[in-house]
Amino acid sequence: MATAVAYRRRPGALKRRVRQTLGWLGFYVLLAIILVYTVFPFYWAIVSSLRSGADLFNTDLIPGNPAWSNYVAVFREQPFARNILNSLFVAISTVVLSLGLAVAAAYALGRIRFRGRMLLLLTILGVSMFPQIAVLSGMFELVTYLGIYNNLLALTLSYMIFTLPFTVWVLTTFMRDLPKEIEEAAIVDGAKPFTIVTKVFLPLMGPALATTGLLAFIAAWNEFLFALTFTLSTEMRTVPVAIALISGASAHELPWGNIMAASVVVTVPLLVLVLIFQRRIVSGLTAGAVKG
């Protein structure tokens, strides 16, 4: 009797096992497609950076004779190392200022009740919706008036237009979800608002700070329009402008190998940062999504 029952149940269990196997197989196939779609362009950029001349039109996935001279030429023919340092200074200063101002604003907008708070928050968000070209002329007048044209400080000031609203909005949402009991306990102990923000809230905001800081860094690192408009000399250019202005003997003879080598060099730091902070990034993006 037990054998007959097991025999009747076996086909159903077999079907479930087959469906489960097919489901996992489809998942891995989809994951492989997404991985190839996202990673292959960067891999092809690396391959192209190791080619020169007619080899650039070769479709082999592995270069036969790697042209490492492309990487040497990028740093020899222009002050590319200086351009990288310029981008690092501008991106880091933008992130530090944006996060510092955003934390203070997030505390006021997320923890203090006052009239017009939501309107102010929506106004801050609305500022980020303007395209860069819409504020370019006004920013140019401001930069010229302050006397910081062709200065890295002009880029830091202009980049905060699109990094500050984003960081304020995200940190305000995160700050609003922090338990009130923590703040009330600090107030009972006599803590002032500055102490509450720096000693109580900042340690809890690590994931949100990492996420917003990294996204602000990437935006400042890749920005092109303001960097092209507000810098003039080669020594003050950032890497996107420096790469865009790499030229050959004629318009039809662009050194694509050098261009791709420069692109790989400036992309690697971003990949390293994402790999280092990936856990905090995921935690920051999902923070506040579920309320207990």
Side-chain angles (χ1 to χ4, degrees):
M1 184 67 178
T3 304
V5 172
Y7 179 80
R8 287 196 298 270
R9 289 181 178 177
R10 190 176 303 167
L14 181 61
K15 289 181 181 179
R16 287 194 298 271
R17 186 58 181 267
V18 170
R19 285 197 299 266
Q20 186 179 11
T21 303
L22 292 177
W24 279 108
L25 180 61
F27 171 76
Y28 284 117
V29 170
L30 179 61
L31 185 63
I33 293 174
I34 295 175
L35 185 64
V36 171
Y37 178 78
T38 54
V39 175
F40 183 77
F42 182 67
Y43 172 76
W44 191 252
I46 297 176
V47 171
S48 300
S49 69
L50 297 175
R51 291 173 175 168
S52 61
D55 290 340
L56 287 168
F57 302 98
N58 196 336
T59 58
D60 293 339
L61 295 178
I62 301 177
N65 297 313
W68 298 103
S69 58
N70 291 336
Y71 289 88
V72 178
V74 168
F75 292 92
R76 185 182 61 227
E77 297 175 0
Q78 58 185 4
F80 198 68
R82 175 66 182 272
N83 301 140
I84 293 176
L85 292 178
N86 292 341
S87 291
L88 281 174
F89 173 80
V90 173
I92 292 175
S93 60
T94 300
V95 170
V96 171
L97 290 175
S98 296
L99 291 182
L101 295 174
V103 168
Y107 178 74
L109 295 171
R111 312 297 295 193
I112 302 175
R113 294 182 178 274
F114 59 91
R115 182 176 299 178
R117 180 179 61 171
M118 185 55 64
L119 178 61
L120 179 59
L121 189 59
L122 292 176
T123 302
I124 293 174
L125 181 63
V127 172
S128 63
M129 298 180 183
F130 286 94
Q132 287 181 277
I133 193 66
V135 298
L136 183 61
S137 59
M139 284 302 305
F140 183 82
E141 293 292 336
L142 178 61
V143 167
T144 305
Y145 175 78
L146 295 176
I148 55 176
Y149 181 74
N150 198 34
N151 192 306
L152 297 181
L153 295 178
L155 301 184
T156 300
L157 177 64
S158 60
Y159 289 179
M160 289 177 64
I161 291 179
F162 54 83
T163 60
L164 190 56
F166 167 75
T167 53
V168 169
W169 182 269
V170 174
L171 294 182
T172 298
T173 303
F174 188 88
M175 184 82 73
R176 188 182 297 162
D177 292 336
L178 293 177
K180 294 182 179 180
E181 292 77 10
I182 299 177
E183 184 180 6
E184 292 172 354
I187 294 174
V188 170
D189 292 337
K192 301 297 183 182
F194 181 79
T195 304
I196 295 174
V197 172
T198 56
K199 302 296 184 180
V200 178
F201 286 154
L202 274 184
L204 301 175
M205 297 176 64
L209 291 174
T211 303
T212 54
L214 183 59
L215 293 178
F217 183 91
I218 294 174
W221 181 269
N222 293 330
E223 203 283 327
F224 177 78
L225 182 60
F226 287 161
L228 178 65
T229 305
F230 300 146
T231 56
L232 183 62
S233 61
T234 304
E235 291 74 15
M236 288 296 165
R237 290 170 181 161
T238 56
V239 284
V241 179
I243 294 174
L245 296 181
I246 295 177
S247 60
S250 65
H252 301 286
E253 298 178 0
L254 288 175
W256 291 110
N258 294 5
I259 294 175
M260 298 309 295
S263 301
V264 171
V265 169
V266 301
T267 304
V268 168
L270 300 182
L271 294 178
V272 172
L273 286 176
V274 171
L275 291 176
I276 293 175
F277 295 103
Q278 58 178 337
R279 293 184 180 274
R280 288 185 173 270
I281 292 171
V282 174
S283 300
L285 290 175
T286 56
V290 178
K291 295 183 179 181

